[in-house]
Amino acid sequence: MAVDVGSIAPDFTLRDQNNEEVTLSEFRGRRNVVLLFYPLTFTGICQGELCAVRDELSSFQNDNVQVLAVSVDSPYAHKVWAEREGYDFPLLADFWPHGEVARSYGVFEESKGFALRATFIINKEGVVHWKIVNSPGEARDHAEYLKALAAL
């Protein structure tokens, strides 16, 4: 079932590239969250999108906003990729149960075994304020979710 704008964002706890647990609800009352689902680590469009976030990180991660990127890859693959690309934001492993968090947001591509390219902006109250879902081969326009963040 897809998560729509105005819905409470499903809570989750996943491990990041440092094998540390990150829980979505820990940001409630403190920060808005940009939740980015991407298909696979070490792939072209995914790398381009995350490098764009890295290059504009102060817009996506600051005292008011936290970026969380999620794929089905393991924390170990995320660690290598984060070090290689200089990603200083959490890359979360929706590894096991495989794709469970992507499924809870309605963005898991069952036939392929990975998440669609989806972004959810979650406000400090834990409510989905904005979302976009693209196919795996269709890059997102970061300017659109910067506009959505500015509207919070």
Side-chain angles (χ1 to χ4, degrees):
M1 184 162 104
V3 173
D4 290 321
V5 171
S7 300
I8 297 293
D11 198 18
F12 60 82
T13 299
L14 294 173
R15 294 199 174 271
D16 70 6
Q17 67 267 34
N18 298 311
N19 213 26
E20 305 265 334
E21 288 187 346
V22 175
T23 300
L24 178 64
S25 59
E26 289 178 356
F27 298 101
R28 269 201 197 151
R30 297 183 14 230
R31 288 171 140 175
N32 301 300
V33 174
V34 177
L35 181 61
L36 302 169
F37 287 93
Y38 64 96
L40 294 167
T41 298
F42 296 107
T43 58
I45 295 172
C46 299
Q47 182 167 324
E49 287 185 328
L50 293 186
C51 284
V53 170
R54 176 200 64 202
D55 294 347
E56 297 181 56
L57 191 57
S58 63
S59 299
F60 294 101
Q61 187 165 285
N62 51 52
D63 290 341
N64 199 40
V65 183
Q66 175 67 49
V67 64
L68 301 174
V70 181
S71 83
V72 296
D73 299 289
S74 74
Y76 312 106
H78 286 159
K79 179 76 169 173
V80 172
W81 202 34
E83 288 176 352
R84 186 179 91 179
E85 298 300 327
Y87 299 145
D88 290 330
F89 48 89
L91 301 182
L92 303 179
D94 194 8
F95 185 70
W96 197 257
H98 187 75
E100 180 178 14
V101 173
R103 276 186 191 89
S104 74
Y105 278 80
V107 298
F108 190 73
E109 181 65 48
E110 294 289 341
S111 65
K112 298 200 166 67
F114 54 70
L116 296 170
R117 201 172 295 284
T119 303
F120 295 84
I121 294 181
I122 302 162
N123 67 22
K124 291 178 183 177
E125 290 74 42
V127 175
V128 176
H129 170 76
W130 184 88
K131 80 173 193 177
I132 188 166
V133 180
N134 292 359
S135 68
E138 183 184 1
R140 292 167 277 205
D141 180 356
H142 287 66
E144 292 301 312
Y145 41 98
L146 287 175
K147 284 182 202 173
L149 280 171
L152 281 175

